[in-house]
Amino acid sequence: MASDTKDADPLEDCLLILESGEVYRNPTEVKMSQIVLPCHANHCGELSVGQLLKWMDSTACLSAERHAGCSCITASVDDIHFEHTIGVGQVVNIKAKVNRAFTSSMEVGILVTCEDLFTNCHWKVCHAFGTFVARRTEAGKVQLKQVIPHTQAEQMEYSIAAERRRMRLIHAEIITDLLSSSTAQLGECQEFQGAVPAERTQVESVELVLPPHANHQVSTFGGQIMAWMENVATIAASRLCNAHPTLRTIDMFHFRGPSHIGDRLVLKAIVNNSFKNSMEVGVCAEAYKGGEPLRHINSAFMTFEVLDSDRKPCTLPRIRPELVDGKRRYQEAIARKKIRLDRKYIFSCKQTEVPLSVPWDLSNQMYLSYNNVSALKLLAARNNWMLSSEKNKVSLYTLEENHVLCFKIETHVNVPAEQTFHLLSDLSKRHKWDKHYEQCDVINQADEEDTIYRVATPSVSKGGKGQDFILLASRRKPCDIGDPYLIALRSVTLPTHPPTEDYTRGEVLCAGFTIWAESSTVTKISYYNQATPGVLPYISTDIAGLSSSFCSTFSSCKQYLEENRDSLAALHPSAL
């Protein structure tokens, strides 16, 4: 199960030596190490996921409270994928730190690794992000201090935290839209001869919240609620397969309200659907006290597998949905599986894979947009750019990383940042300053922030064919003071726009603008791109220092922006 190579640690960065000579350590960082004892394990001798969730929640909460300086509560935990199980006698190492603070909430990154003391092997178990909210004090609502990133890794997490927060805030809306668009295509349920009735997997359990289940704020410990939910979900999964299931993924935990000592927690679980090698279990937690009505505390969807002696997934029995709401849950489970596969495919695409583009449709729009913006933020957060040339106050930087050549062009304009953002957002106007944008047409106005364009570029060689690109443009306004405006670009594929004989189809993996307000009238523009095969012919002479077309292009860009600095009213609404 373990290898002696250690997984990349997204919470770990190179040591930073301060001017005082001390080694920098993030002030919010909290570490917990626990040896797995038999009392922490399940019947298979592996660490119970419920116990692990408790340890993760405790560590992350301590990190949040270290930053806030007051009590904090768990608001949500993002999707978790468990890569490995952990055995008795092994050591669990949990590291948590605050990535970014907003008004009264903060994102905490949580990394779980495992250590075998006898072989000195380390491996990654899971990586998650929790959101914690600072509790009101006697003085009123807490205004959290900002996190100041010191290392490149901290800067990356800080930057992407804003995009992850955006995704959390619209999570319910995304799921609703995706389910409504997906379930319409699922059709009627198939025949279920020989399938296991879903009612057989149904579990309902009641827990009385006692003082040992409460946290230091006298509310039910969030990790304890998640552990109880995992317990009933495991029982439901076991009833379908008559075997010991292994939990692989958990969809987001979202706490909708608190519970307290003396509450009765009603935990319900049922298998919504089973696929060839996995099953989805829906689980919810509700609370009541005395004759009060039930209060919805939390809900989640957990995906289980059953592994054989070689640790390979077994084929699972089919499920027959129950009569009342079973068909709806059955179809929604299919839609959620599609969402997970789409998201996994989008997030796992590498620069070395061809094609670079991924298919775009309504079911993956939000995740493609998130990935598009996050990729640009990661590229912008790199701190080892090298200046290649500078002319007329336009600077060209390069960066070679993982065998990919990246470049950045930077300049300043005497135009307010918001106006610069609006003018550069509309790619159909880019031909006015960029000769490479011979033609640009809007294919799909997905929403206010995402537009798909077809861009045609001229041939770089005499008599050759031009290139065209199908580009997703994702726009973002600043999440907070000190954040830039962003215009992220990447290639996508659309069945309605296949490659044609007249053009060679080019691809862009990660490109776009960051727009920083340096004052009310001065803006710094940084343009990023990666030298993919479709882009390289247009930039090779500049990178080699044989031409300065970038300089002239961005001088034209400055002129265009300054000439149109007062033309906001004339812009197309989609650019706003």
Side-chain angles (χ1 to χ4, degrees), residues 41-70:
N42 58 24
H43 40 268
C44 299
E46 296 169 346
L47 174 64
S48 159
V49 173
Q51 179 62 62
L52 178 59
L53 290 170
K54 285 199 257 186
W55 287 338
M56 290 170 65
D57 190 58
S58 294
T59 311
C61 186
L62 291 173
S63 174
E65 292 184 342
R66 177 174 283 182
H67 179 73
C70 63

Side-chain angles (χ1 to χ4, degrees), residues 432-451:
K432 294 184 177 182
W433 59 270
D434 189 349
K435 65 181 181 180
H436 294 131
Y437 271 57
E438 191 173 58
Q439 182 182 349
C440 183
D441 302 310
V442 175
I443 296 176
N444 189 323
Q445 184 69 53
D447 57 28
E448 292 182 358
E449 295 185 316
D450 290 326
T451 308

Side-chain angles (χ1 to χ4, degrees), residues 140-257:
K141 190 174 182 179
V142 176
Q143 175 72 46
L144 293 172
K145 61 188 177 188
Q146 291 299 308
V147 169
I148 301 174
H150 285 84
T151 67
Q152 179 172 287
E154 288 179 2
Q155 178 59 50
M156 288 179 178
E157 293 293 356
Y158 177 90
S159 182
I160 301 176
E163 189 64 14
R164 285 192 289 257
R165 179 174 183 261
R166 174 182 174 274
M167 292 293 288
R168 290 183 201 108
L169 293 176
I170 61 174
H171 181 262
E173 179 186 335
I174 293 172
I175 296 298
T176 301
D177 290 346
L178 293 177
L179 290 178
S180 61
S181 64
S182 300
T183 51
Q185 306 169 18
L186 298 177
E188 294 297 316
C189 296
Q190 52 186 302
E191 294 297 323
F192 298 105
Q193 186 175 1
V196 176
E199 294 90 335
R200 188 185 298 175
T201 70
Q202 197 163 355
V203 180
E204 182 172 323
S205 179
V206 178
E207 297 282 354
L208 174 62
V209 181
L210 299 171
H213 304 136
N215 56 23
H216 52 298
Q217 303 153 40
V218 202
S219 298
T220 313
F221 173 39
Q224 179 63 70
I225 294 175
M226 291 189 284
W228 282 334
M229 292 173 70
E230 185 271 336
N231 178 59
V232 294
T234 301
I235 295 171
S238 300
R239 287 179 176 173
L240 173 69
C241 58
N242 296 322
H244 302 312
T246 298
L247 181 58
R248 279 294 177 225
T249 63
I250 303 175
D251 281 17
M252 178 186 283
F253 284 112
H254 178 67
F255 287 90
R256 291 167 170 81

